[in-house]
Amino acid sequence: VDKTIKLDMNSLKLCTTEMIARIPLLKDVEFQEMLTNAQLYRIYIERYLRSHSIVNTNLDLIVAQREPTQFGVPIEVYFFLSDKVWNEYEQIQSDIFDHLLVMVREFDLKLYQYS
């Protein structure tokens, strides 16, 4: 799976201790003054994928911010699934990205949406 999630550049900001505390998967992340909500979201994505039983963690798993464009800040998410059955594969990767898109709000981020 290789997809991008485009964040609205105007929603990037420094994160707070409350932001870290409200997301159980991040409870052991140490607060740093210059940690941004986008950095924290990337950490979350990687941990979420590594905790997902159908993600093949023996192969590459990359979560990277790409160069900002007029269409937002792209977060590239690249990973492999263990399941190779096409219909199941499509359902699983769709479910994973539904979750990642919804979680954007938990980091006080917004998705880029052309208006």
Side-chain angles (χ1 to χ4, degrees):
V1 178
D2 185 7
K3 291 188 176 190
T4 58
I5 297 171
K6 293 182 176 84
L7 302 176
D8 181 333
M9 196 174 312
N10 295 315
S11 68
L12 274 65
K13 65 181 185 179
L14 295 175
C15 74
T16 63
T17 54
E18 294 79 23
M19 195 180 297
I20 295 171
R22 71 178 172 230
I23 302 166
L25 203 54
L26 300 174
K27 64 183 174 194
D28 65 334
V29 171
E30 188 173 317
F31 176 76
Q32 300 167 18
E33 281 189 33
M34 300 308 284
L35 183 66
T36 68
N37 56 347
Q39 286 173 290
L40 195 61
Y41 182 56
R42 290 193 310 273
I43 293 167
Y44 175 82
I45 292 171
E46 183 170 346
R47 288 183 177 193
Y48 175 75
L49 292 173
R50 290 194 184 283
S51 72
H52 209 293
S53 63
I54 198 72
V55 172
N56 186 340
T57 56
N58 295 320
L59 298 173
D60 288 342
L61 191 159
I62 300 168
V63 180
Q65 181 173 307
R66 299 299 178 212
E67 184 174 345
T69 71
Q70 72 270 28
F71 302 109
V73 179
I75 304 298
E76 182 178 13
V77 183
Y78 179 83
F79 61 95
F80 293 90
L81 296 176
S82 301
D83 196 326
K84 303 290 189 254
V85 177
W86 191 257
N87 188 34
E88 292 174 17
Y89 172 89
E90 286 297 325
Q91 183 64 48
I92 293 164
Q93 64 95 20
S94 294
D95 291 347
I96 287 172
F97 277 89
D98 282 349
H99 175 81
L100 295 178
L101 292 172
V102 167
M103 286 301 292
V104 164
R105 288 181 234 139
E106 294 299 319
F107 296 88
D108 298 339
L109 289 163
K110 292 181 182 175
L111 295 172
Y112 174 82
Q113 188 165 332
Y114 182 76
S115 57

